[in-house]
Structure formats: structure tokens, C-alpha cells
Amino acid sequence: MASWLSARLDGVPDTLRARVEEAVRVHATEVSARSVADALKHVAESLLAEAQAAPQESRETAMTILAADAFVTWACEAVAEENPAKLAGLQ
């Protein structure tokens, strides 16, 4: 997943890039055996759960939500690359 993402991080604002890279590091072990698309989806779900559990709204929580959104977008892109027909059933 990390190598797949590295090509897509050019031009990403530094703060968001740092949050994405942190999420990749945190979840690297648990997603290592998954497909790229599934790994990206898992990280997105984890980030959304983290944002929902945050005690208060903050800039950090907003950045977590933005990172989750990016991971969802990348998961769709990965599915399109891995198996375009599967996009119709992506949930």
C-alpha cells in the first residue's frame, strides 16, 4: 500500500500528507496481507472511527476526516485498477 500511495502524494499539502503517512505507518502491519484497495478502505474506516471517537471537534479531527476521504478516493482508484467490474459493487 505504501509504495502504491507514494506515487499519488505529489502535490498533497504537507499537513494532509503527514496525516496520511502517519496512518500508513500505524496500519501497515494489519493491512500487509490485504489487496491495495482493501488496505486503503480499511485505513479509511479506521480514520473515520477515530474521528467519530474524538472528544471534540478540532483541526486535528478535521485533518483525520480529510485523510479518510483521501483514502476512500484512493481505494476506489485501486479497485478501478485491480478489477474495474468490481467498482459497481463497491460499498
Side-chain angles (χ1 to χ4, degrees):
M1 173 180 67
S3 61
W4 188 91
L5 269 177
S6 67
R8 287 151 179 89
L9 291 177
D10 288 339
V12 172
D14 292 341
T15 307
L16 179 56
R17 182 185 188 113
R19 186 65 182 99
V20 165
E21 290 171 343
E22 176 189 6
V24 169
R25 280 190 303 277
V26 167
H27 297 283
T29 302
E30 66 194 66
V31 300
S32 63
R34 299 175 186 229
S35 70
V36 171
D38 192 43
L40 293 164
K41 179 183 174 204
H42 176 79
V43 174
E45 291 169 342
S46 296
L47 289 170
L48 285 174
E50 179 183 325
Q52 289 176 326
Q56 60 183 334
E57 296 176 4
S58 67
R59 179 171 161 73
E60 185 176 315
T61 302
M63 193 55 58
T64 299
I65 293 168
L66 285 173
D69 178 65
F71 276 97
V72 168
T73 301
W74 290 322
C76 292
E77 184 179 347
V79 167
E81 290 176 3
E82 293 172 4
N83 184 356
K86 190 176 177 183
L87 268 182
L90 187 64
Q91 297 179 16

